[in-house]
Amino acid sequence: MPILCKPAVRVPEYTITMEQTLEFARKAHAGKPQLPLALRLIQNTGVRKRHIVQPIEKTLEHPGFEERNKIYEAESKKRCPEVVEEALANARLRAEDIDAIVYVSCTGFMMPSLTAWLINTMGFRFDTRQIPMAQLGCAAGGAAINRAHDFCVAHPDSNVLIVSCELCSLCYQPSADDVGSLLSDGLFGDAVAAAVVRGHGDAGVSGVRLERNASYLIPNTEDWISYAVRDTGFHFQLDKRVPGTMEPLAPVLRQLAAGHGWNASDLDFYIIHAGGPRILDDLAKFLEVDRTVFRHSWTTLTEYGNIASAVVLDALRRRFEEDRPLATGATGVIAGFGPGITAEMSLGTWTDGTVHDGTAIDDTAELAGVAASLPYAGRIS
């Protein structure tokens, strides 16, 4: 079965704390009736800090949609190679071993997709399949994993690279007064992430062995999360009913797990999109699990904010790096939620990368050799 290897994640160097966000909101909405709502929404996100590609003062200048999209292109080309190289090294592969690239982003637009630039720049084969996704929003992280899984099932022994580039700060609309804009002012952050789905395992390769995936769209909710595209760019629109969507989605997760012979309330790991505190709290309630099983998602939310499609990759990275390692065979779920309202869900078991006799592989030297052979190796840290 295909294996989802350890993701690589990077966040930009500029940060903004909740306290700074509240201060900017007080200035931007001074004397306006929506100021108390803006402050309350920002405080309720639980986001302590976020990372952004420009200093906040420059972000708030908003030079226009055209200029912002130029920044998106420049920053994505600047920041994606490093995470791609690390993800390849994590999977013990090289660029020429990749058969398809799934690129997901909802915060900027390029045609051709960044996949073409990656192929031309980073040594991927010229017959590498390109699978860009632009309109699934936060659900695209889960969708990318699922489409990579599907590709590997359809083309055995293939390897798929997933790249998520979400520069949410380039969509901020600081003067907008609608609830969606006010919430996004304090919730969304920037991040770039990548991971490889290997078509088959190998000694020393740990990760999630992908076994089953599914998609579900809550009927007649397509306008609950959306973009309004205006002269100033993408305006995030959010219906007040969105936080309640975990009640109808939890049974879908239960059904998916039950169809695989599992109990969704008794899994070993949960990698869940951190859309906000209410999403995580409600899903814990309706799945009847302790909210701490979502600890990796909670940490992503508090330290990075909602980083859209990159959330599930960052939460998975944190599971890899946790002091309490998972044993081979541990069961888990990965789920992303986004516009539609859409859920992209995957079930898998953990493989710890040991050989069949139980002896662990010491792969430090080999991984170092793989990393050293890559064009951007000097930038990996």
Side-chain angles (χ1 to χ4, degrees):
M1 295 179 186
I3 294 177
L4 174 59
C5 302
K6 181 181 179 180
V9 182
R10 292 288 185 277
V11 291
E13 59 274 25
Y14 301 104
T15 61
I16 179 170
T17 65
M18 177 185 285
E19 291 73 21
Q20 290 172 315
T21 302
L22 291 169
E23 184 58 31
F24 283 118
R26 292 187 184 99
K27 293 178 180 178
H29 302 286
K32 297 180 181 179
Q34 71 272 15
L35 177 59
L37 174 60
L39 298 179
R40 187 167 67 253
L41 288 172
I42 292 168
Q43 288 174 317
N44 288 345
T45 63
V47 179
R48 291 201 299 263
K49 69 174 175 65
R50 293 166 291 155
H51 293 253
I52 52 181
V53 293
Q54 303 177 102
I56 186 61
E57 294 80 8
K58 192 168 184 179
T59 301
L60 295 177
E61 290 174 2
H62 199 335
F65 191 17
E66 179 180 358
E67 183 60 29
R68 275 189 164 181
N69 206 63
K70 289 179 181 178
I71 297 170
Y72 171 86
E73 179 174 352
E75 292 291 338
S76 62
K77 290 178 177 178
K78 171 185 174 183
R79 297 176 187 276
C80 284
E82 182 179 20
V83 295
V84 167
E85 297 288 16
E86 184 179 344
L88 290 171
N90 289 344
R92 306 166 72 93
L93 296 174
R94 296 176 172 83
E96 59 263 32
D97 300 318
I98 297 299
D99 300 284
I101 302 174
V102 181
Y103 179 77
V104 293
S105 180
C106 63
T107 54
F109 181 80
M110 292 173 60
M111 192 172 73
S113 165
L114 190 75
T115 50
W117 182 86
L118 291 171
I119 291 169
N120 283 317
T121 305
M122 297 190 65
F124 295 98
R125 303 193 319 266
F126 293 114
D127 63 351
T128 303
R129 315 288 181 88
Q130 301 177 66
I131 311 175
M133 295 184 186
Q135 293 155 309
L136 279 174
C138 297
I145 293 169
N146 291 349
R147 300 297 78 79
H149 179 193
D150 295 343
F151 187 94
C152 290
V153 171
H155 304 278
D157 298 329
S158 294
N159 302 304
V160 181
L161 171 69
I162 297 167
V163 182
S164 165
C165 180
E166 300 291 13
L167 308 184
C168 302
S169 65
L170 299 179
C171 301
Y172 290 170
Q173 304 294 340
S175 62
D177 296 340
D178 59 282
V179 172
S181 294
L182 293 176
L183 178 62
S184 67
D185 287 348
L187 179 62
F188 291 99
D190 298 349
V192 178
V196 171
V197 174
R198 289 183 55 128
H200 61 82
D202 195 8
V205 177
S206 61
V208 180
R209 196 178 298 276
L210 301 172
E211 300 187 11
R212 188 186 189 105
N213 70 60
S215 302
Y216 183 80
L217 184 144
I218 302 177
N220 303 313
T221 58
E222 71 267 23
D223 59 345
W224 288 18
I225 299 175
S226 62
Y227 271 164
V229 183
R230 301 172 184 156
D231 290 343
T232 48
F234 301 134
H235 288 246
F236 181 66
Q237 300 182 134
L238 183 73
D239 189 282
K240 64 182 180 181
R241 291 170 287 185
V242 168
T245 52
M246 292 303 101
E247 185 170 6
L249 287 180
V252 176
L253 274 170
R254 285 189 180 280
Q255 184 177 9
L256 174 64
H260 203 53
W262 295 357
N263 179 355
S265 299
D266 188 28
L267 302 177
D268 299 303
F269 62 95
Y270 295 80
I271 306 300
I272 304 297
H273 174 68
R278 172 79 182 277
I279 296 296
L280 294 175
D281 277 334
D282 272 13
L283 188 58
K285 172 185 174 183
F286 294 117
L287 284 184
E288 298 179 305
V289 297
D290 191 280
R291 72 196 298 271
T292 59
V293 302
F294 301 153
R295 58 191 176 278
H296 310 103
S297 302
W298 280 111
T299 304
T300 295
L301 182 64
T302 58
E303 294 185 359
Y304 292 167
N306 182 340
I307 49 176
S309 64
V311 167
V312 291
L313 295 177
D314 186 64
L316 180 59
R317 173 188 67 85
R318 295 176 189 276
R319 173 61 266 191
F320 269 91
E321 295 175 356
E322 191 172 50
D323 290 338
R324 292 176 287 178
L326 288 166
T328 289
T331 59
V333 62
I334 301 171
F337 310 118
I341 298 291
T342 301
E344 289 281 346
M345 305 156 288
S346 180
L347 300 177
T349 53
W350 194 265
T351 176
D352 65 4
T354 57
V355 294
H356 293 300
D357 65 1
T359 304
I361 296 292
D362 182 1
D363 59 0
T364 304
E366 183 172 345
L367 282 177
V370 171
S373 70
L374 299 170
Y376 286 78
R379 295 168 56 182
I380 296 178
S381 59

